[in-house]
Amino acid sequence: MMAKAHAHTWTIEKLSALELAKLKVVRENADRSGASELVAMCDSAIGLRKPPASTRTRKAADSEIGDLVTEYHFVCRNDRGVKFNSDGTFWSTSWVVAEEVLQKSLKYGAKFALHNSKAESSYRQGTIKDYQRIDDFDEGQVEARIDFLVVPDDTPLDWAGAGAGEKGYKRVKSSGIRAIDAIES
C-alpha cells in the first residue's frame, strides 16, 4: 500500500511563531520528506530572526569590517536551483550575501562551493565570474539575494566558516590583501 503525500498547512506566520529549535525540526523533517516549498518557508522564517546583538557579537563583527571573503560555501543538496549554461559556467540558486562584500571578493578571484553537508567536501565549485542581484518583495520589505555565475573547476573545497547556518565564508584579513596581490603578480 502506497503512503499518501501529505499536504502541509504551514504558513510563514505559523512557522515564525515557533521556537527556533522547533522550527529547525520542522525544516529537517520537511527536507527529509522532500517538501522543498516547506523547507524554503522554514529558511525564510529562520532568516527573519535577527538575534539581539550583544556587545561581544558587535565587537566580533566590528573586527571583521574590511575582511576579504575568498571562498563562499553553501549547503545545497544535489544542485538544487543550479542552472547550467552552454559555455560550461553555471548559475547558483539565490543566497543572502552582502553585495558590497561580494564586489570586493570578485576583484581577488573568490571561489564558490556547493556542499551536500558541511562535513563533506564540495561537489561543485569554481571561481566566481559575476553575479546578479535578485530583489524579493515580501509584505513591503525588500530582501536582496545573490545568484552567482561560476566558472567551474575540478578541485573540491573543504567547508570553511563557523556558525550553524547553511553558508560559510573563508576570510582573509584586509592586511592579507597585499599577500594575495603578491601571489598574483
Side-chain angles (χ1 to χ4, degrees), residues 2-40:
M2 289 184 59
K4 255 179 151 176
H6 183 92
H8 71 81
T9 58
W10 289 104
T11 64
I12 193 71
E13 292 80 16
K14 287 180 184 178
L15 292 168
S16 296
L18 292 175
E19 292 177 13
L20 184 58
K22 289 182 182 178
L23 177 56
K24 287 181 178 181
V25 169
V26 171
R27 189 203 180 285
E28 288 173 16
N29 290 339
D31 189 39
R32 215 179 345 268
S33 65
S36 57
E37 180 184 318
L38 182 54
V39 170

Side-chain angles (χ1 to χ4, degrees), residues 114-132:
L114 296 177
H115 302 257
N116 280 315
S117 74
K118 291 180 182 182
E120 299 175 32
S121 294
S122 60
Y123 65 85
R124 188 161 313 286
Q125 61 283 318
T127 302
I128 302 169
K129 178 178 181 180
D130 202 358
Y131 72 94
Q132 62 183 3

Side-chain angles (χ1 to χ4, degrees), residues 58-79:
R58 273 194 302 272
K59 286 180 181 171
D62 290 347
S63 71
E64 292 186 354
I65 291 174
D67 281 2
L68 174 66
V69 177
T70 59
E71 293 179 7
Y72 292 81
H73 295 259
F74 301 97
V75 174
C76 176
R77 291 172 189 86
N78 304 315
D79 286 326

Side-chain angles (χ1 to χ4, degrees), residues 2-3 25 46 79 86 89 107 114 119 127 136 138 168 170 177:
M2 289 184 59
V25 169
I46 290 169
D79 286 326
S86 59
T89 61
K107 295 176 188 175
L114 296 177
T127 302
D136 292 330
D138 185 28
K170 182 175 183 181
I177 293 173

Side-chain angles (χ1 to χ4, degrees), residues 92-172:
S92 72
T93 191
S94 298
W95 299 97
V96 177
V97 173
E99 190 172 6
E100 60 277 3
V101 173
L102 176 56
Q103 288 172 345
K104 186 175 177 182
S105 298
L106 280 172
K107 295 176 188 175
Y108 294 96
K111 294 287 194 170
F112 177 90
L114 296 177
H115 302 257
N116 280 315
S117 74
K118 291 180 182 182
E120 299 175 32
S121 294
S122 60
Y123 65 85
R124 188 161 313 286
Q125 61 283 318
T127 302
I128 302 169
K129 178 178 181 180
D130 202 358
Y131 72 94
Q132 62 183 3
R133 178 186 162 132
I134 308 296
D135 291 330
D136 292 330
F137 297 89
D138 185 28
E139 297 180 24
Q141 301 280 345
V142 178
E143 181 178 276
R145 295 179 175 269
I146 300 293
D147 286 1
F148 292 85
L149 178 60
V150 181
V151 177
D153 64 43
D154 294 329
T155 308
L157 298 171
D158 290 332
W159 182 266
E166 292 191 337
K167 63 183 174 182
Y169 304 127
K170 182 175 183 181
R171 299 176 181 268
V172 173

Side-chain angles (χ1 to χ4, degrees), residues 30-58:
D31 189 39
R32 215 179 345 268
S33 65
S36 57
E37 180 184 318
L38 182 54
V39 170
M41 287 174 59
C42 290
D43 287 344
S44 292
I46 290 169
L48 292 173
R49 295 174 187 237
K50 304 231 189 280
S54 67
T55 304
R56 180 179 167 160
T57 303
R58 273 194 302 272

